[in-house]
Amino acid sequence: MTKSFEELLDQYAEVAVKVGVNLQAGQRLVINVTVDLAPFVRLVAKHAYQAGAKYVYIVWNDQHLNHAQLEYGSDDSLLQYPDWVIKTVVDFVKNGDARLSIYAEDPNLMADIDPQRLQIVRKVAAENFKPLRDLTAAGIHPNYAVISAAYPGWARRVFPALSDEQATAKLWDAIFAACRINTPDPVAAWKAHNANLQARQDYLTAKRYTALHYRAPGTDLRVGLPQGHIWIGGSSVFNNIECFPNIPTEEVFTLPHREQIDGVVSATMPLSVQGKLIEGFALTFENGRIVKATADKAEDHLNHLIDLDDGARSLGEVALVPHSSPISQLGILFYNGLYDENASCHMALGDAYRYNLENGEGMSEEAFNAAGGNTSSIHTDFMMGSGLLDVDGIHSDRTNEPIMRQGEWAFTV
Amino acid sequence: MTKSFEELLDQYAEVAVKVGVNLQAGQRLVINVTVDLAPFVRLVAKHAYQAGAKYVYIVWNDQHLNHAQLEYGSDDSLLQYPDWVIKTVVDFVKNGDARLSIYAEDPNLMADIDPQRLQIVRKVAAENFKPLRDLTAAGIHPNYAVISAAYPGWARRVFPALSDEQATAKLWDAIFAACRINTPDPVAAWKAHNANLQARQDYLTAKRYTALHYRAPGTDLRVGLPQGHIWIGGSSVFNNIECFPNIPTEEVFTLPHREQIDGVVSATMPLSVQGKLIEGFALTFENGRIVKATADKAEDHLNHLIDLDDGARSLGEVALVPHSSPISQLGILFYNGLYDENASCHMALGDAYRYNLENGEGMSEEAFNAAGGNTSSIHTDFMMGSGLLDVDGIHSDRTNEPIMRQGEWAFTV
């Protein structure tokens, strides 16, 4: 029996609360979301309260207000930031509460804004987020999930030929497919998928590769892996609760050694940063640092991004996703990191996750850096996978093993 | 030349910022508003930044989320309150910033909620608002305005026979008419209107009446006025800035003596409290306290309301509005206090404004009470005016003068 749109939407909200966040009775839940998604958020709140939430608090955001500030605000106004929002989220995290981020935006909205002004607000935001990053670095995480949801402002960029209504409906269909909501038992489907991802993470971690070698058209990159690196896929245990930090998720990822990245990597999809699209870009690395960054479009934005701080010029994550993943098979460019990164092998500029390194949580920044972990105020994924990508694992004795061939896993679990 | 809807909307947003709040360059502006009104808020933010706002911060609210909490939340969840929101507003007020409240809600949304649960969240909210009330009592006000704006959730209650789209358009038309936005020069129209209201406030204050006597069908009420009471109409100077606390405003109001109210008053319009409509109600007073409250509908809600605290059982405001006021002439029941109170003479249950009493600001609560001023965590207006209402002013020598006859001003200025 086919599910109605209302059933699918309700089950999606339920999966976000029960599988994604895995909210426990008595926990508070803080949700970050755009005002455009109010009707969907109300459904999520219903499921959260039904699951015993002590309180559901929404941190509403609105890209259009940010745009009004960037377009009409004084230079002084750009330096203002609602730090009480960060304080609230920090209070929730310290208190052992749960968090849900609903990430959805119009990737083109800031196209007419001066890049210098965008750079200022980006930097101010990054500085204000530091207390939250410090908690994460100390290994204090809420049980949390990042999901997306469809609304016209985003959907019309994905399907520009359709009406807003049709585009939004089609984007919801893609979300339901990618998140396994259109299966008879979405919760069971997530369990099976998770078993596969975790078998691959265990296989790769056990191999203790010293480096990866990426080859594809425009890409020939050697990425060192630090001693004690940990591959992660699917669910995680945060706050003593098993949650799915990303829904959907298809990746298995670890952290690179920040001083051992050499060669060239070419992006295979555009990168949307604060509403600007950077297209056709390539990065050249020497000893872990970008020494050259070129792009067909918005090259200045790319350079602003890697100039943000020292760590923005290196990598914090390498992630493997088979080219045949369900999201990739949808054949849609989502202009949304959560979806596009799960359609493709990718890497992240900037901050590395402490939990990708043995004992990384609780390390001082200096110790983490010395062990090879990168730190930065940004963590920005870009896609570099394709059906033409080969990835090898390199052992300490310099022997190689295929990990991926033509974009697909080259080992079985 | 007739203005287009877009022009009217833009001018209304401009009047809110420049006439209502009278935002000064360099001030921050905090706006309380429902997520349903995001598109209008973006216009307001544009005008605020164009007027030199240092920052525009939105406190978003959502009745539907409150409903989800009341319907599905545990008893414990009802005791939670986002006190950081109040802290933020207090920070703005202490810092000399400006405030705009956009008051618009669905008056029927809470009709299916248990009154006991509503009473709990009402009380928790009132307790959390205390720091803000304390600032007000100390005479520390931002320059501020309360306005309304149309959206389907409210409009469909006002015009239930129309489609959501038609109802919203018709409600906007009524708002533009009531707020003089459909005049050639709305700012000039506000100046002329203000001159009339302020002439009436000065006339009434100079009279130093000791009491008012209200007579209408179902109403025969004597309301003592404290020594030093001040009548107020139109603009006020707060934060050293002339602003219009209410747009629209047609009233001239003062505070009653909390221990000198005797007789019966019958409401002439329903009262919407937290989404519940109290209809056909009458209040009997003895020595300033309600000794009997009856209603045709939602009598339990009325009694919950006046049971909230000691001051909820007395009055904090008496306001005079001619029956021929432009809002009254629209002949629309708005189910919205800001509009309905400006269509009719009204009174408020609960807290009195300190600025309605000479030297009232900065008085201790005890001193203010002793002078006749009422204090409470609520200030809830109800309408008791009509074309049949007569109001007399009573002098200390017991002579009477007509103030209103058949709902119209009985004196000229």
Side-chain angles (χ1 to χ4, degrees):
Chain A
M1 207 177 83
T2 314
K3 302 177 193 174
S4 71
F5 176 75
E6 286 67 29
E7 285 171 305
L8 287 162
L9 201 65
D10 195 70
Q11 288 191 0
Y12 181 52
E14 191 176 6
V15 163
V17 170
K18 294 195 180 160
V19 177
V21 171
N22 194 7
L23 186 79
Q24 306 294 301
Q27 281 197 303
R28 297 187 301 178
L29 174 65
V30 56
I31 304 178
N32 291 68
V33 66
T34 174
V35 290
D36 296 292
L37 282 166
F40 175 65
V41 174
R42 294 162 187 164
L43 263 184
V44 173
K46 180 191 82 167
H47 283 288
Y49 281 119
Q50 286 180 328
K54 185 175 181 180
Y55 190 62
V56 179
Y57 180 62
I58 316 292
V59 176
W60 297 102
N61 54 62
D62 182 3
Q63 265 192 300
H64 291 274
L65 277 170
N66 298 344
H67 189 278
Q69 185 183 13
L70 283 159
E71 186 174 3
Y72 302 110
S74 64
D75 289 348
D76 186 34
S77 82
L78 302 186
L79 303 178
Q80 306 299 312
Y81 195 84
D83 62 342
W84 48 86
V85 172
I86 301 294
K87 283 181 187 156
T88 302
V89 177
V90 164
D91 171 62
F92 273 66
V93 174
K94 282 186 177 168
N95 193 52
D97 291 312
R99 187 172 181 196
L100 176 68
S101 290
I102 306 180
Y103 170 62
E105 62 177 27
D106 176 347
N108 286 21
L109 196 73
M110 300 300 174
D112 60 347
I113 298 292
D114 174 3
Q116 305 275 7
R117 304 203 103 203
L118 271 175
Q119 171 82 337
I120 292 168
V121 297
R122 201 179 286 154
K123 194 157 183 172
V124 169
E127 285 163 4
N128 274 278
F129 264 89
K130 186 162 188 309
L132 206 51
R133 284 199 311 278
D134 288 347
L135 282 178
T136 305
I140 301 166
H141 309 269
N143 45 318
Y144 79 98
V146 182
I147 66 167
S148 288
Y151 74 100
W154 170 28
R156 74 171 71 105
R157 305 300 186 179
V158 183
F159 305 110
L162 302 182
S163 71
D164 277 6
E165 198 177 337
Q166 290 171 321
T168 306
K170 193 162 175 177
L171 186 53
W172 271 124
D173 283 346
I175 288 171
F176 296 146
C179 298
R180 298 171 166 76
I181 308 301
N182 59 356
T183 59
D185 184 347
V187 176
W190 272 96
K191 280 193 181 160
H193 176 49
N194 195 38
N196 179 278
L197 290 173
Q198 300 213 321
R200 293 194 183 277
Q201 83 179 13
D202 294 345
Y203 170 96
L204 287 168
T205 300
K207 284 288 184 182
R208 299 170 166 269
Y209 293 122
T210 55
L212 304 174
H213 187 193
Y214 289 84
R215 277 162 303 159
T219 292
D220 186 349
L221 190 75
R222 191 184 183 284
V223 176
L225 299 178
Q227 278 202 322
H229 68 271
I230 300 168
W231 289 87
I232 295 179
S235 67
S236 290
V237 175
F238 290 136
N239 209 10
N240 295 316
I241 295 161
E242 183 182 27
C243 58
F244 282 80
N246 287 352
I247 286 189
T249 185
E250 301 289 338
E251 63 179 344
V252 181
F253 63 99
T254 190
L255 87 173
H257 194 297
R258 63 195 286 268
E259 293 175 338
Q260 299 175 3
I261 310 164
D262 292 277
V264 182
V265 59
S266 291
T268 50
M269 287 198 229
L271 170 62
S272 172
V273 175
Q274 285 216 335
K276 284 269 191 174
L277 275 186
I278 302 166
E279 297 183 49
F281 64 98
L283 306 171
T284 304
F285 289 82
E286 284 179 17
N287 298 321
R289 290 178 61 79
I290 296 169
V291 293
K292 188 175 157 196
T294 60
D296 295 338
K297 281 195 186 170
E299 189 174 290
D300 53 344
H301 271 75
L302 178 60
N303 278 290
H304 279 311
L305 184 69
I306 63 177
D307 276 344
L308 205 61
D309 58 34
D310 197 53
R313 221 164 243 284
S314 188
L315 297 180
E317 179 189 342
V318 290
L320 303 176
V321 179
H323 189 60
S324 62
S325 86
I327 303 174
S328 181
Q329 291 305 300
L330 287 169
I332 297 169
L333 180 58
F334 287 90
Y335 300 102
N336 175 310
L338 180 61
Y339 277 73
D340 291 330
E341 77 170 34
N342 279 301
S344 170
C345 287
H346 58 273
M347 299 175 169
L349 293 167
D351 213 43
Y353 298 117
R354 301 300 185 98
Y355 48 69
N356 277 130
L357 187 69
E358 267 177 35
N359 304 314
E361 296 183 320
M363 268 188 191
S364 70
E365 187 164 324
E366 291 70 28
F368 187 61
N369 291 162
N374 194 39
T375 49
S376 169
S377 62
I378 65 163
H379 177 102
T380 304
D381 292 293
F382 65 93
M383 273 48 82
M384 35 67 67
S386 70
L388 299 173
L389 177 66
D390 290 347
V391 183
D392 283 351
I394 304 176
H395 286 289
S396 54
D397 62 3
R398 306 215 170 178
T399 59
N400 290 3
E401 281 176 5
I403 295 176
M404 300 195 102
R405 283 294 176 264
Q406 297 196 294
E408 300 302 328
W409 293 119
F411 65 93
T412 51
V413 288
Chain B
M1 207 177 81
T2 314
K3 301 177 194 175
S4 69
F5 176 74
E6 285 68 28
E7 286 171 306
L8 288 161
L9 201 64
D10 195 69
Q11 289 189 1
Y12 181 53
E14 191 175 5
V15 162
V17 170
K18 294 193 180 162
V19 177
V21 170
N22 193 8
L23 185 79
Q24 305 294 300
Q27 280 196 304
R28 297 188 300 179
L29 174 64
V30 57
I31 304 177
N32 291 67
V33 66
T34 173
V35 290
D36 296 292
L37 282 166
F40 175 64
V41 174
R42 294 162 187 165
L43 263 184
V44 173
K46 179 190 83 167
H47 283 289
Y49 280 120
Q50 286 181 329
K54 185 175 179 179
Y55 190 62
V56 179
Y57 179 63
I58 316 294
V59 176
W60 296 104
N61 53 62
D62 182 2
Q63 265 192 300
H64 291 273
L65 275 170
N66 298 344
H67 189 279
Q69 184 183 12
L70 283 157
E71 186 174 3
Y72 302 109
S74 64
D75 288 349
D76 185 35
S77 83
L78 303 184
L79 303 178
Q80 305 300 312
Y81 194 85
D83 63 341
W84 48 85
V85 171
I86 301 295
K87 283 182 188 157
T88 301
V89 177
V90 164
D91 171 63
F92 272 66
V93 174
K94 282 187 175 167
N95 192 52
D97 291 312
R99 188 173 181 197
L100 177 67
S101 290
I102 306 180
Y103 169 61
E105 62 175 28
D106 175 347
N108 286 22
L109 195 72
M110 301 298 175
D112 59 346
I113 298 292
D114 173 5
Q116 304 275 10
R117 304 203 102 203
L118 270 175
Q119 172 82 338
I120 292 169
V121 297
R122 201 180 285 154
K123 195 159 183 172
V124 169
E127 286 164 1
N128 274 278
F129 265 90
K130 189 164 187 307
L132 206 52
R133 285 198 312 278
D134 288 347
L135 282 179
T136 305
I140 301 167
H141 309 271
N143 45 316
Y144 79 96
V146 182
I147 67 168
S148 287
Y151 74 100
W154 171 27
R156 75 171 70 106
R157 305 301 186 179
V158 183
F159 305 110
L162 303 183
S163 72
D164 278 5
E165 198 178 337
Q166 290 171 323
T168 306
K170 194 163 174 174
L171 187 53
W172 271 123
D173 283 346
I175 288 171
F176 296 145
C179 298
R180 297 170 166 79
I181 307 299
N182 59 356
T183 60
D185 183 345
V187 176
W190 273 95
K191 279 192 179 159
H193 176 49
N194 195 37
N196 179 279
L197 290 172
Q198 300 213 321
R200 293 194 183 278
Q201 84 179 13
D202 293 346
Y203 170 97
L204 288 168
T205 300
K207 285 288 185 181
R208 297 170 165 270
Y209 293 122
T210 54
L212 304 174
H213 187 192
Y214 290 84
R215 276 161 303 157
T219 292
D220 187 349
L221 189 75
R222 192 185 183 284
V223 177
L225 299 178
Q227 276 201 324
H229 68 271
I230 300 168
W231 289 87
I232 295 179
S235 68
S236 290
V237 176
F238 290 137
N239 209 10
N240 295 315
I241 296 162
E242 184 182 26
C243 58
F244 282 80
N246 286 353
I247 285 189
T249 183
E250 303 288 338
E251 64 179 344
V252 182
F253 64 98
T254 191
L255 87 174
H257 194 297
R258 64 195 285 268
E259 292 175 338
Q260 299 176 5
I261 310 164
D262 293 277
V264 183
V265 60
S266 291
T268 50
M269 287 198 230
L271 170 62
S272 171
V273 175
Q274 284 215 336
K276 283 270 192 176
L277 276 184
I278 302 166
E279 297 183 50
F281 65 96
L283 306 170
T284 305
F285 288 83
E286 283 179 20
N287 299 321
R289 290 179 60 80
I290 297 169
V291 294
K292 188 175 156 197
T294 59
D296 294 337
K297 281 197 187 169
E299 188 173 292
D300 52 346
H301 271 76
L302 178 60
N303 278 291
H304 280 310
L305 185 69
I306 64 178
D307 276 344
L308 204 60
D309 57 35
D310 198 53
R313 223 165 241 285
S314 189
L315 297 179
E317 179 190 342
V318 290
L320 303 175
V321 179
H323 189 61
S324 62
S325 86
I327 302 174
S328 182
Q329 291 306 298
L330 288 169
I332 297 168
L333 180 58
F334 288 90
Y335 300 101
N336 174 310
L338 179 61
Y339 277 74
D340 290 331
E341 78 170 34
N342 279 301
S344 170
C345 287
H346 57 273
M347 299 174 168
L349 294 167
D351 213 43
Y353 298 117
R354 300 299 185 97
Y355 48 69
N356 276 131
L357 187 69
E358 268 176 35
N359 305 316
E361 293 182 320
M363 268 185 188
S364 71
E365 186 164 324
E366 292 68 29
F368 186 62
N369 291 163
N374 194 40
T375 47
S376 170
S377 62
I378 65 162
H379 177 102
T380 303
D381 292 294
F382 65 92
M383 274 46 83
M384 36 67 67
S386 71
L388 299 173
L389 177 67
D390 290 347
V391 185
D392 284 350
I394 304 174
H395 286 288
S396 54
D397 62 4
R398 304 215 173 178
T399 58
N400 291 4
E401 282 175 4
I403 296 177
M404 300 194 103
R405 282 295 176 267
Q406 296 197 297
E408 300 301 329
W409 293 119
F411 65 94
T412 52
V413 287

